[in-house]
Amino acid sequence: MTTAIYSHPECLLHEMGAWHPESPARLQAIQDQLINSRIDTLVEQREAPLADLSDIARNHTAGAIAIVRDNIPPVGEHYPIDGDTSLNAHSWRAALRAAGAAVAATDAVIDGDIGNAFCAVRPPGHHARPSEPMGFCLFNNVAIAAKHALDVRGLARVAILDFDVHHGNGTEEALLDEPRALMASFYQHPFYPYTPPRPETPNRVNVPVPARSGGDVVRQLVMDKWLPALHAFQPEMIFISAGFDAHREDDLGGMSLVEADYAWMTEQIMAVAKQYAKGRIVSCLEGGYNLSALGRSVAAHVKALAEL
Ligand SMILES: [Zn+2]
């Protein structure tokens, strides 16, 4: 089965200032590395559609949507949302493309049109709360897609796995009362966004790890925590919040993963997806700010998704 990469040129037009690490150059670095490693010709490239407002509204309040839609500034200006997050003239359409990629990829995977997908999109999503944008994120692309899979496509159970260095607070909040979803993650702690850890439940396996943790720590917690939860839950589809800022070369995070760790985690997730979910995986870009490490890590991730 084919692996597809969803993206759109409008995702490059959203920017939050020349100094900002969450920059359009991230998507260019990913594309360059996919070409350099000759993966680009072995996967299908698809254009992300704009999400429908009904898709966004499945996970976000009218107020959260209005914060983005109603504050788009003129070309050349920025509208600040929080200290780390702002809008430019193109942010609304970029955010709709990012969420639209996740939803379209979900439909294509459920329809059996493709085997799995990676959404090379920005703005990222996992800090976006149901009620407001936060931390570089406008809408929660993965949560929107997961709720589409459950409520529109009628799947019974979905899992969301988050390997970004930061805690996916927006996703956790979105799923607090959702018994049909399992969230499993690890994250550097204490660290942004400083969410107090919530107790572990069969549906919530978010594992805090200290700074400087590397592949040995992460592989062990995946085996000890993630995999048993996934085997117990038996998801019909898996979403990945694929942040690559736990890489040892990434200065925004303080962990020390390498490309091989991302490939290994992807292989573990693939095995679970094949066992319970007909292989269905939709992975969406979250963080990852060292451009070289980001490109190489995404290449390793996509290579594993495509079994190349
Ligand atoms: Zn992050």
Coordinates of all heavy atoms in Angstrom, one line a residue, residues 258-303:
V258 N 17.8 10.2 18.4 CA 18.4 10.3 17.0 C 17.4 9.7 16.0 O 16.4 9.1 16.4 CB 19.8 9.6 17.0 CG1 20.7 10.3 18.0 CG2 19.6 8.1 17.3
E259 N 17.8 9.8 14.7 CA 16.9 9.3 13.7 C 16.5 7.9 13.9 O 15.4 7.5 13.6 CB 17.6 9.5 12.3 CG 17.9 10.9 11.9 CD 19.2 11.4 12.3 OE1 19.5 11.4 13.5 OE2 20.0 11.7 11.4
A260 N 17.5 7.1 14.3 CA 17.2 5.6 14.5 C 16.1 5.4 15.5 O 15.3 4.4 15.4 CB 18.4 4.9 14.9
D261 N 16.0 6.3 16.5 CA 14.9 6.1 17.5 C 13.5 6.4 16.9 O 12.6 5.8 17.2 CB 15.2 7.1 18.7 CG 16.4 6.8 19.4 OD1 16.7 5.6 19.7 OD2 17.2 7.7 19.7
Y262 N 13.5 7.4 16.0 CA 12.2 7.7 15.3 C 11.8 6.6 14.4 O 10.6 6.2 14.3 CB 12.3 9.1 14.6 CG 12.4 10.3 15.5 CD1 13.6 11.0 15.5 CD2 11.4 10.6 16.3 CE1 13.7 12.1 16.4 CE2 11.5 11.7 17.2 CZ 12.7 12.4 17.2 OH 12.8 13.5 18.1
A263 N 12.8 6.0 13.7 CA 12.5 4.9 12.8 C 12.0 3.7 13.7 O 11.0 3.0 13.3 CB 13.8 4.5 12.1
W264 N 12.6 3.4 14.8 CA 12.2 2.3 15.7 C 10.8 2.5 16.2 O 10.0 1.6 16.1 CB 13.2 2.2 16.8 CG 12.9 1.0 17.7 CD1 13.3 -0.3 17.6 CD2 12.1 1.1 18.9 NE1 12.8 -1.0 18.6 CE2 12.0 -0.2 19.5 CE3 11.5 2.1 19.6 CZ2 11.3 -0.5 20.6 CZ3 10.8 1.8 20.8 CH2 10.7 0.5 21.3
M265 N 10.5 3.7 16.7 CA 9.2 4.0 17.2 C 8.1 3.8 16.1 O 7.1 3.2 16.3 CB 9.1 5.4 17.8 CG 9.7 5.6 19.1 SD 9.2 7.2 19.9 CE 10.3 8.3 18.9
T266 N 8.5 4.3 14.9 CA 7.5 4.1 13.8 C 7.3 2.7 13.5 O 6.1 2.3 13.2 CB 8.1 4.9 12.6 OG1 8.4 6.2 13.0 CG2 7.0 4.9 11.4
E267 N 8.3 1.9 13.5 CA 8.2 0.4 13.3 C 7.3 -0.2 14.3 O 6.5 -1.1 14.0 CB 9.6 -0.3 13.2 CG 10.4 0.1 12.0 CD 11.9 -0.1 12.1 OE1 12.3 -0.8 13.2 OE2 12.6 0.3 11.3
Q268 N 7.5 0.2 15.6 CA 6.6 -0.4 16.6 C 5.1 -0.1 16.4 O 4.2 -0.9 16.5 CB 7.0 0.1 18.0 CG 8.5 -0.1 18.4 CD 8.9 -1.6 18.2 OE1 8.3 -2.5 18.7 NE2 10.0 -1.8 17.5
I269 N 4.9 1.2 16.0 CA 3.5 1.7 15.8 C 3.0 1.0 14.6 O 1.8 0.6 14.5 CB 3.6 3.2 15.6 CG1 4.1 3.9 16.8 CG2 2.2 3.7 15.2 CD1 4.4 5.4 16.7
M270 N 3.8 0.8 13.5 CA 3.3 0.1 12.3 C 2.9 -1.3 12.7 O 1.9 -1.8 12.2 CB 4.5 0.0 11.3 CG 4.9 1.3 10.7 SD 3.9 1.7 9.2 CE 4.5 0.5 8.1
A271 N 3.6 -2.0 13.5 CA 3.3 -3.4 13.9 C 1.9 -3.4 14.6 O 1.1 -4.3 14.3 CB 4.4 -4.0 14.8
V272 N 1.7 -2.5 15.5 CA 0.4 -2.4 16.2 C -0.7 -2.1 15.2 O -1.8 -2.7 15.2 CB 0.4 -1.4 17.3 CG1 -1.0 -1.2 17.9 CG2 1.4 -1.8 18.4
A273 N -0.5 -1.2 14.3 CA -1.5 -0.8 13.3 C -1.9 -2.0 12.4 O -3.0 -2.2 12.1 CB -1.0 0.4 12.5
K274 N -0.9 -2.8 12.1 CA -1.1 -3.9 11.2 C -2.0 -5.0 12.0 O -2.8 -5.6 11.4 CB 0.2 -4.5 10.7 CG 0.8 -3.7 9.6 CD 2.1 -4.4 9.1 CE 2.7 -3.6 8.1 NZ 4.0 -4.1 7.7
Q275 N -1.7 -5.1 13.3 CA -2.4 -6.1 14.1 C -3.8 -5.8 14.3 O -4.7 -6.7 14.2 CB -1.6 -6.3 15.4 CG -2.1 -7.5 16.2 CD -1.2 -7.7 17.4 OE1 -0.1 -7.1 17.6 NE2 -1.6 -8.7 18.2
Y276 N -4.2 -4.5 14.6 CA -5.5 -4.1 15.0 C -6.2 -3.2 14.0 O -7.5 -3.1 14.1 CB -5.5 -3.5 16.3 CG -4.9 -4.3 17.4 CD1 -3.7 -3.9 18.0 CD2 -5.5 -5.5 17.9 CE1 -3.1 -4.7 19.0 CE2 -4.9 -6.3 18.8 CZ -3.7 -5.9 19.4 OH -3.1 -6.6 20.4
A277 N -5.5 -2.5 13.2 CA -6.1 -1.3 12.5 C -5.9 -1.3 11.0 O -5.9 -0.3 10.4 CB -5.4 0.0 13.1
K278 N -5.7 -2.5 10.4 CA -5.5 -2.6 9.0 C -4.4 -1.7 8.5 O -4.4 -1.2 7.4 CB -6.8 -2.2 8.2 CG -8.0 -3.1 8.6 CD -9.3 -2.6 7.8 CE -10.5 -3.4 8.3 NZ -11.7 -2.9 7.7
G279 N -3.4 -1.5 9.4 CA -2.3 -0.6 9.0 C -2.6 0.9 9.0 O -1.7 1.6 8.7
R280 N -3.8 1.3 9.3 CA -4.2 2.7 9.2 C -3.4 3.6 10.2 O -3.5 3.5 11.4 CB -5.6 2.9 9.5 CG -6.6 2.2 8.6 CD -7.9 2.1 9.3 NE -9.0 1.6 8.4 CZ -10.1 1.1 9.0 NH1 -10.3 1.1 10.3 NH2 -11.1 0.6 8.2
I281 N -2.6 4.5 9.6 CA -1.8 5.5 10.4 C -1.9 6.8 9.6 O -1.6 6.9 8.4 CB -0.3 5.1 10.5 CG1 -0.2 3.8 11.3 CG2 0.5 6.2 11.2 CD1 1.2 3.3 11.4
V282 N -2.2 7.9 10.3 CA -2.0 9.2 9.8 C -1.1 10.0 10.8 O -1.4 10.1 12.0 CB -3.4 10.0 9.7 CG1 -3.1 11.5 9.4 CG2 -4.2 9.4 8.5
S283 N 0.0 10.4 10.3 CA 1.0 11.1 11.1 C 1.1 12.6 10.7 O 1.1 12.9 9.5 CB 2.4 10.5 10.9 OG 3.4 11.2 11.6
C284 N 1.1 13.5 11.7 CA 1.1 14.9 11.4 C 2.3 15.6 12.1 O 2.5 15.3 13.3 CB -0.2 15.6 12.0 SG -1.7 15.0 11.1
L285 N 2.9 16.4 11.3 CA 4.1 17.2 11.9 C 3.7 18.0 13.0 O 2.7 18.8 12.9 CB 4.7 18.0 10.8 CG 5.9 18.8 11.1 CD1 7.1 17.9 11.5 CD2 6.3 19.7 10.0
E286 N 4.4 18.0 14.1 CA 4.3 18.9 15.2 C 5.5 19.8 15.3 O 5.8 20.6 14.4 CB 4.0 18.2 16.5 CG 2.7 17.3 16.5 CD 1.4 18.1 16.6 OE1 1.4 19.3 16.7 OE2 0.3 17.5 16.6
G287 N 6.4 19.6 16.3 CA 7.6 20.4 16.4 C 8.8 19.8 15.7 O 8.7 18.8 14.9
G288 N 10.0 20.4 16.0 CA 11.2 20.0 15.3 C 11.8 21.2 14.6 O 11.3 21.7 13.6
Y289 N 12.9 21.8 15.3 CA 13.3 23.1 14.9 C 14.8 23.2 14.4 O 15.2 24.2 13.9 CB 13.1 24.0 16.1 CG 11.6 24.0 16.5 CD1 11.2 23.2 17.6 CD2 10.6 24.6 15.7 CE1 9.8 23.1 17.9 CE2 9.3 24.5 16.0 CZ 8.9 23.7 17.1 OH 7.6 23.6 17.4
N290 N 15.6 22.2 14.6 CA 16.9 22.1 14.0 C 16.6 21.6 12.6 O 16.2 20.4 12.4 CB 17.8 21.2 14.8 CG 19.2 21.1 14.1 OD1 19.3 20.7 12.9 ND2 20.2 21.5 14.8
L291 N 16.9 22.4 11.6 CA 16.4 22.1 10.2 C 17.0 20.8 9.7 O 16.3 20.0 9.1 CB 16.6 23.3 9.3 CG 15.9 24.6 9.7 CD1 16.2 25.7 8.7 CD2 14.4 24.4 9.7
S292 N 18.3 20.6 9.9 CA 18.9 19.4 9.4 C 18.4 18.2 10.2 O 18.0 17.2 9.5 CB 20.5 19.5 9.6 OG 21.1 18.3 9.3
A293 N 18.3 18.2 11.5 CA 17.8 17.1 12.3 C 16.4 16.8 11.9 O 16.0 15.6 11.8 CB 18.0 17.4 13.8
L294 N 15.6 17.9 11.7 CA 14.2 17.7 11.3 C 14.1 16.9 10.0 O 13.3 16.0 9.9 CB 13.5 19.1 11.3 CG 12.1 19.0 10.7 CD1 11.1 18.3 11.7 CD2 11.6 20.5 10.5
G295 N 14.8 17.4 9.0 CA 14.7 16.8 7.7 C 15.1 15.3 7.8 O 14.4 14.4 7.2
R296 N 16.2 15.0 8.4 CA 16.7 13.6 8.5 C 15.7 12.8 9.3 O 15.5 11.6 9.0 CB 18.1 13.6 9.2 CG 19.2 14.1 8.3 CD 20.6 14.1 8.9 NE 20.8 15.2 9.8 CZ 21.1 15.2 11.1 NH1 21.1 14.0 11.7 NH2 21.3 16.3 11.8
S297 N 15.2 13.3 10.4 CA 14.2 12.5 11.2 C 12.9 12.2 10.5 O 12.4 11.1 10.6 CB 14.0 13.3 12.5 OG 15.2 13.5 13.2
V298 N 12.4 13.2 9.8 CA 11.2 13.0 9.0 C 11.5 11.9 7.9 O 10.7 11.1 7.7 CB 10.7 14.3 8.4 CG1 9.6 14.0 7.4 CG2 10.1 15.2 9.5
A299 N 12.7 12.0 7.3 CA 13.0 11.0 6.3 C 13.0 9.6 6.9 O 12.5 8.7 6.3 CB 14.3 11.4 5.6
A300 N 13.6 9.5 8.1 CA 13.6 8.2 8.7 C 12.2 7.7 9.1 O 11.9 6.5 8.9 CB 14.4 8.3 10.0
H301 N 11.4 8.6 9.5 CA 10.0 8.3 9.9 C 9.2 7.9 8.6 O 8.5 6.9 8.6 CB 9.4 9.6 10.5 CG 7.9 9.5 10.9 ND1 7.4 8.5 11.7 CD2 6.9 10.3 10.6 CE1 6.1 8.8 11.9 NE2 5.8 9.8 11.2
V302 N 9.3 8.7 7.5 CA 8.5 8.3 6.3 C 9.0 7.0 5.7 O 8.2 6.2 5.2 CB 8.6 9.5 5.3 CG1 8.0 9.1 4.0 CG2 7.8 10.7 5.9
K303 N 10.3 6.9 5.8 CA 10.9 5.6 5.2 C 10.3 4.4 5.9 O 10.0 3.4 5.3 CB 12.4 5.7 5.4 CG 13.2 4.8 4.5 CD 14.7 5.1 4.6 CE 15.5 3.9 4.0 NZ 16.9 3.9 4.2

